[in-house]
Tab-separated table of all heavy atoms in Angstrom:
chain	number	residue	atom	x	y	z
A	30	PHE	N	-51.614	-63.840	-65.290
A	30	PHE	CA	-52.457	-64.972	-65.665
A	30	PHE	C	-53.907	-64.539	-65.586
A	30	PHE	O	-54.236	-63.481	-65.032
A	30	PHE	CB	-52.197	-66.169	-64.743
A	30	PHE	CG	-52.589	-65.926	-63.300
A	30	PHE	CD1	-53.838	-66.288	-62.818
A	30	PHE	CD2	-51.694	-65.324	-62.417
A	30	PHE	CE1	-54.191	-66.062	-61.497
A	30	PHE	CE2	-52.035	-65.093	-61.099
A	30	PHE	CZ	-53.292	-65.454	-60.631
A	31	SER	N	-54.785	-65.337	-66.141
A	31	SER	CA	-56.211	-65.021	-66.145
A	31	SER	C	-57.024	-66.247	-65.751
A	31	SER	O	-56.599	-67.384	-65.978
A	31	SER	CB	-56.654	-64.544	-67.540
A	31	SER	OG	-55.976	-63.366	-67.923
A	32	PHE	N	-58.193	-65.991	-65.168
A	32	PHE	CA	-59.122	-67.088	-64.883
A	32	PHE	C	-60.553	-66.628	-65.137
A	32	PHE	O	-60.850	-65.432	-65.138
A	32	PHE	CB	-58.944	-67.602	-63.449
A	32	PHE	CG	-59.239	-66.605	-62.350
A	32	PHE	CD1	-60.529	-66.478	-61.828
A	32	PHE	CD2	-58.227	-65.821	-61.816
A	32	PHE	CE1	-60.795	-65.578	-60.804
A	32	PHE	CE2	-58.482	-64.919	-60.791
A	32	PHE	CZ	-59.770	-64.799	-60.283
A	33	GLY	N	-61.417	-67.594	-65.375
A	33	GLY	CA	-62.823	-67.305	-65.625
A	33	GLY	C	-63.664	-67.506	-64.381
A	33	GLY	O	-63.340	-68.322	-63.520
A	34	VAL	N	-64.757	-66.740	-64.286
A	34	VAL	CA	-65.672	-66.842	-63.152
A	34	VAL	C	-67.113	-66.865	-63.660
A	34	VAL	O	-67.514	-66.011	-64.463
A	34	VAL	CB	-65.525	-65.663	-62.167
A	34	VAL	CG1	-66.325	-65.926	-60.896
A	34	VAL	CG2	-64.081	-65.392	-61.824
A	35	ILE	N	-67.878	-67.837	-63.183
A	35	ILE	CA	-69.304	-67.980	-63.503
A	35	ILE	C	-70.042	-68.178	-62.189
A	35	ILE	O	-69.540	-68.848	-61.284
A	35	ILE	CB	-69.553	-69.202	-64.407
A	35	ILE	CG1	-68.739	-69.119	-65.695
A	35	ILE	CG2	-71.040	-69.363	-64.724
A	35	ILE	CD1	-68.750	-70.407	-66.510
A	36	SER	N	-71.231	-67.615	-62.066
A	36	SER	CA	-71.985	-67.832	-60.825
A	36	SER	C	-73.477	-67.963	-61.085
A	36	SER	O	-74.014	-67.360	-62.024
A	36	SER	CB	-71.740	-66.672	-59.854
A	36	SER	OG	-72.230	-66.998	-58.573
A	37	ASP	N	-74.114	-68.743	-60.250
A	37	ASP	CA	-75.575	-68.855	-60.204
A	37	ASP	C	-76.181	-69.137	-61.570
A	37	ASP	O	-77.067	-68.429	-62.039
A	37	ASP	CB	-76.177	-67.590	-59.583
A	37	ASP	CG	-75.758	-67.420	-58.133
A	37	ASP	OD1	-74.701	-66.799	-57.883
A	37	ASP	OD2	-76.470	-67.914	-57.252
A	38	ILE	N	-75.695	-70.208	-62.182
A	38	ILE	CA	-76.314	-70.693	-63.421
A	38	ILE	C	-77.745	-71.104	-63.107
A	38	ILE	O	-78.681	-70.805	-63.834
A	38	ILE	CB	-75.521	-71.890	-63.972
A	38	ILE	CG1	-74.062	-71.491	-64.217
A	38	ILE	CG2	-76.163	-72.430	-65.246
A	38	ILE	CD1	-73.107	-72.660	-64.312
A	39	GLN	N	-77.900	-71.824	-62.028
A	39	GLN	CA	-79.188	-72.197	-61.425
A	39	GLN	C	-80.140	-72.829	-62.450
A	39	GLN	O	-81.331	-72.543	-62.480
A	39	GLN	CB	-79.817	-70.973	-60.757
A	39	GLN	CG	-80.489	-71.325	-59.432
A	39	GLN	CD	-80.659	-70.137	-58.499
A	39	GLN	OE1	-79.740	-69.334	-58.348
A	39	GLN	NE2	-81.816	-70.028	-57.909
A	40	TYR	N	-79.567	-73.700	-63.262
A	40	TYR	CA	-80.362	-74.352	-64.299
A	40	TYR	C	-81.398	-75.288	-63.699
A	40	TYR	O	-81.155	-75.986	-62.705
A	40	TYR	CB	-79.458	-75.147	-65.241
A	40	TYR	CG	-80.253	-76.030	-66.173
A	40	TYR	CD1	-81.043	-75.466	-67.175
A	40	TYR	CD2	-80.264	-77.415	-66.023
A	40	TYR	CE1	-81.805	-76.271	-68.010
A	40	TYR	CE2	-81.011	-78.223	-66.859
A	40	TYR	CZ	-81.786	-77.646	-67.847
A	40	TYR	OH	-82.548	-78.436	-68.666
A	41	ALA	N	-82.556	-75.322	-64.313
A	41	ALA	CA	-83.594	-76.305	-64.013
A	41	ALA	C	-84.523	-76.392	-65.217
A	41	ALA	O	-84.805	-75.377	-65.873
A	41	ALA	CB	-84.391	-75.929	-62.769
A	42	ASP	N	-84.972	-77.572	-65.497
A	42	ASP	CA	-85.941	-77.762	-66.582
A	42	ASP	C	-87.329	-77.435	-66.041
A	42	ASP	O	-88.152	-78.326	-65.783
A	42	ASP	CB	-85.867	-79.199	-67.098
A	42	ASP	CG	-86.800	-79.430	-68.278
A	42	ASP	OD1	-87.289	-78.438	-68.861
A	42	ASP	OD2	-87.050	-80.600	-68.599
A	43	LYS	N	-87.563	-76.136	-65.852
A	43	LYS	CA	-88.860	-75.671	-65.365
A	43	LYS	C	-89.071	-74.236	-65.818
A	43	LYS	O	-88.145	-73.556	-66.271
A	43	LYS	CB	-88.954	-75.790	-63.841
A	43	LYS	CG	-87.934	-75.002	-63.053
A	43	LYS	CD	-88.085	-75.298	-61.551
A	43	LYS	CE	-87.120	-74.484	-60.711
A	43	LYS	NZ	-87.223	-74.807	-59.260
A	44	ASP	N	-90.305	-73.789	-65.702
A	44	ASP	CA	-90.682	-72.487	-66.232
A	44	ASP	C	-90.024	-71.332	-65.488
A	44	ASP	O	-89.665	-71.446	-64.306
A	44	ASP	CB	-92.204	-72.310	-66.163
A	44	ASP	CG	-92.954	-73.282	-67.062
A	44	ASP	OD1	-92.328	-73.802	-68.018
A	44	ASP	OD2	-94.147	-73.532	-66.803
A	45	THR	N	-89.896	-70.213	-66.206
A	45	THR	CA	-89.371	-68.981	-65.622
A	45	THR	C	-90.231	-68.539	-64.447
A	45	THR	O	-91.456	-68.643	-64.480
A	45	THR	CB	-89.338	-67.867	-66.687
A	45	THR	OG1	-88.454	-68.262	-67.735
A	45	THR	CG2	-88.899	-66.540	-66.106
A	46	ARG	N	-89.561	-68.045	-63.405
A	46	ARG	CA	-90.277	-67.476	-62.267
A	46	ARG	C	-89.639	-66.131	-61.930
A	46	ARG	O	-88.484	-66.057	-61.553
A	46	ARG	CB	-90.194	-68.394	-61.048
A	46	ARG	CG	-91.088	-67.934	-59.880
A	46	ARG	CD	-90.967	-68.863	-58.700
A	46	ARG	NE	-89.635	-68.784	-58.106
A	46	ARG	CZ	-89.186	-69.604	-57.165
A	46	ARG	NH1	-89.934	-70.616	-56.748
A	46	ARG	NH2	-87.967	-69.452	-56.673
A	47	GLY	N	-90.435	-65.086	-62.121
A	47	GLY	CA	-89.911	-63.749	-61.881
A	47	GLY	C	-88.769	-63.451	-62.836
A	47	GLY	O	-88.887	-63.612	-64.050
A	48	ALA	N	-87.628	-63.059	-62.280
A	48	ALA	CA	-86.460	-62.720	-63.102
A	48	ALA	C	-85.576	-63.927	-63.370
A	48	ALA	O	-84.561	-63.811	-64.065
A	48	ALA	CB	-85.654	-61.629	-62.411
A	49	ARG	N	-85.940	-65.099	-62.848
A	49	ARG	CA	-85.093	-66.278	-62.963
A	49	ARG	C	-85.532	-67.138	-64.146
A	49	ARG	O	-86.593	-67.763	-64.118
A	49	ARG	CB	-85.129	-67.087	-61.665
A	49	ARG	CG	-84.605	-66.270	-60.486
A	49	ARG	CD	-84.584	-67.047	-59.200
A	49	ARG	NE	-84.062	-66.224	-58.112
A	49	ARG	CZ	-83.782	-66.663	-56.891
A	49	ARG	NH1	-83.985	-67.949	-56.600
A	49	ARG	NH2	-83.314	-65.839	-55.982
A	50	HIS	N	-84.677	-67.179	-65.159
A	50	HIS	CA	-84.974	-67.890	-66.396
A	50	HIS	C	-84.210	-69.211	-66.366
A	50	HIS	O	-83.107	-69.334	-66.921
A	50	HIS	CB	-84.566	-67.037	-67.595
A	50	HIS	CG	-85.316	-65.744	-67.682
A	50	HIS	ND1	-86.354	-65.528	-68.567
A	50	HIS	CD2	-85.195	-64.592	-66.963
A	50	HIS	CE1	-86.833	-64.302	-68.414
A	50	HIS	NE2	-86.141	-63.714	-67.439
A	51	TYR	N	-84.812	-70.195	-65.721
A	51	TYR	CA	-84.103	-71.439	-65.417
A	51	TYR	C	-83.657	-72.192	-66.658
A	51	TYR	O	-82.504	-72.626	-66.750
A	51	TYR	CB	-84.995	-72.339	-64.550
A	51	TYR	CG	-85.410	-71.712	-63.250
A	51	TYR	CD1	-86.746	-71.373	-63.015
A	51	TYR	CD2	-84.485	-71.452	-62.250
A	51	TYR	CE1	-87.127	-70.795	-61.809
A	51	TYR	CE2	-84.855	-70.876	-61.050
A	51	TYR	CZ	-86.192	-70.544	-60.833
A	51	TYR	OH	-86.566	-69.967	-59.652
A	52	ARG	N	-84.547	-72.389	-67.621
A	52	ARG	CA	-84.180	-73.152	-68.817
A	52	ARG	C	-83.169	-72.397	-69.677
A	52	ARG	O	-82.219	-72.989	-70.195
A	52	ARG	CB	-85.430	-73.462	-69.658
A	52	ARG	CG	-86.347	-74.514	-69.072
A	52	ARG	CD	-87.345	-75.028	-70.097
A	52	ARG	NE	-88.233	-76.010	-69.517
A	52	ARG	CZ	-89.446	-75.719	-69.032
A	52	ARG	NH1	-89.916	-74.479	-69.095
A	52	ARG	NH2	-90.202	-76.667	-68.517
A	53	GLU	N	-83.361	-71.091	-69.819
A	53	GLU	CA	-82.499	-70.295	-70.687
A	53	GLU	C	-81.055	-70.247	-70.191
A	53	GLU	O	-80.127	-70.008	-70.972
A	53	GLU	CB	-83.041	-68.867	-70.825
A	53	GLU	CG	-84.293	-68.745	-71.675
A	53	GLU	CD	-85.576	-69.065	-70.901
A	53	GLU	OE1	-85.493	-69.600	-69.775
A	53	GLU	OE2	-86.659	-68.763	-71.432
A	54	SER	N	-80.843	-70.491	-68.912
A	54	SER	CA	-79.488	-70.386	-68.377
A	54	SER	C	-78.553	-71.426	-68.984
A	54	SER	O	-77.333	-71.213	-69.054
A	54	SER	CB	-79.505	-70.507	-66.849
A	54	SER	OG	-79.917	-71.796	-66.443
A	55	LEU	N	-79.103	-72.544	-69.458
A	55	LEU	CA	-78.259	-73.562	-70.079
A	55	LEU	C	-77.667	-73.032	-71.389
A	55	LEU	O	-76.487	-73.273	-71.683
A	55	LEU	CB	-79.049	-74.843	-70.328
A	55	LEU	CG	-78.226	-76.105	-70.575
A	55	LEU	CD1	-77.375	-76.444	-69.345
A	55	LEU	CD2	-79.125	-77.286	-70.929
A	56	SER	N	-78.469	-72.307	-72.166
A	56	SER	CA	-77.963	-71.711	-73.408
A	56	SER	C	-76.923	-70.642	-73.114
A	56	SER	O	-75.920	-70.516	-73.823
A	56	SER	CB	-79.120	-71.097	-74.206
A	56	SER	OG	-80.029	-72.088	-74.625
A	57	ARG	N	-77.147	-69.850	-72.044
A	57	ARG	CA	-76.168	-68.827	-71.675
A	57	ARG	C	-74.851	-69.483	-71.245
A	57	ARG	O	-73.774	-68.991	-71.550
A	57	ARG	CB	-76.704	-67.954	-70.554
A	57	ARG	CG	-77.981	-67.201	-70.838
A	57	ARG	CD	-77.822	-66.106	-71.902
A	57	ARG	NE	-77.803	-66.653	-73.254
A	57	ARG	CZ	-78.881	-67.082	-73.924
A	57	ARG	NH1	-80.077	-67.060	-73.344
A	57	ARG	NH2	-78.768	-67.529	-75.158
A	58	LEU	N	-74.955	-70.602	-70.550
A	58	LEU	CA	-73.747	-71.311	-70.135
A	58	LEU	C	-72.995	-71.818	-71.357
A	58	LEU	O	-71.759	-71.710	-71.421
A	58	LEU	CB	-74.092	-72.472	-69.206
A	58	LEU	CG	-72.904	-73.323	-68.744
A	58	LEU	CD1	-71.903	-72.492	-67.957
A	58	LEU	CD2	-73.385	-74.512	-67.911
Side-chain angles (χ1 to χ4, degrees):
F30 65 94
S31 299
F32 63 89
V34 189
I35 303 170
S36 192
D37 296 89
I38 302 161
Q39 219 158 316
Y40 170 69
D42 183 14
K43 60 184 182 182
D44 295 339
T45 298
R46 188 180 67 189
R49 299 182 179 188
H50 298 257
Y51 301 112
R52 287 195 181 96
E53 288 83 348
S54 66
L55 198 63
S56 296
R57 300 293 78 76
L58 178 61

